[in-house]
Amino acid sequence: MTEQQIRHRAAEESGGDHMWPLGFLGPALLLLRLLGEHPWAYWTAAVMGALGVIGAVFAIAGAGRDLVRRRRPWKAAFALFMLACGSFMVVVRLVEF
């Protein structure tokens, strides 16, 4: 394989990990679910959830770009679904309290 073929193949297969905002959204949801009645837990979850939602906006854009370019479409579709659901649940939980 030539170097150009290797670069072309790497560009076709590139599909970044778009699930990283779940590292913020998951703990925020757990804090709201388990300790949401405590003010410190609510505000900690609000900060973590806000960081997760902001990160999810960028990750959703990247996953959408990968989906349109047909780079690992199932992985991108799964990331879109998980990030949209996680962001929605954090916002609903924060508004609920």
Side-chain angles (χ1 to χ4, degrees):
M1 264 183 153
T2 66
E3 185 178 339
Q4 185 179 8
Q5 289 173 333
I6 292 171
R7 272 192 255 140
H8 180 66
R9 186 173 180 185
E12 283 181 353
E13 293 181 3
S14 69
D17 184 25
H18 305 293
M19 302 288 280
W20 66 268
L22 292 178
F24 291 104
L25 295 173
L29 283 170
L30 285 173
L31 273 173
L32 288 171
R33 173 75 174 129
L34 300 175
L35 300 170
E37 67 273 358
H38 299 290
W40 66 269
Y42 178 82
W43 287 106
T44 303
V47 170
M48 290 177 64
L51 290 173
V53 170
I54 291 169
V57 168
F58 293 104
I60 285 172
R65 183 181 60 242
D66 283 350
L67 192 61
V68 168
R69 293 180 181 170
R70 296 188 180 159
R71 295 181 182 161
R72 298 183 183 179
W74 289 106
K75 182 179 177 181
F78 181 71
L80 283 170
F81 176 74
M82 291 298 291
L83 292 169
C85 289
S87 298
F88 177 75
M89 287 306 301
V90 165
V91 170
V92 166
R93 282 282 188 188
L94 286 172
V95 171
E96 190 175 87
F97 286 104

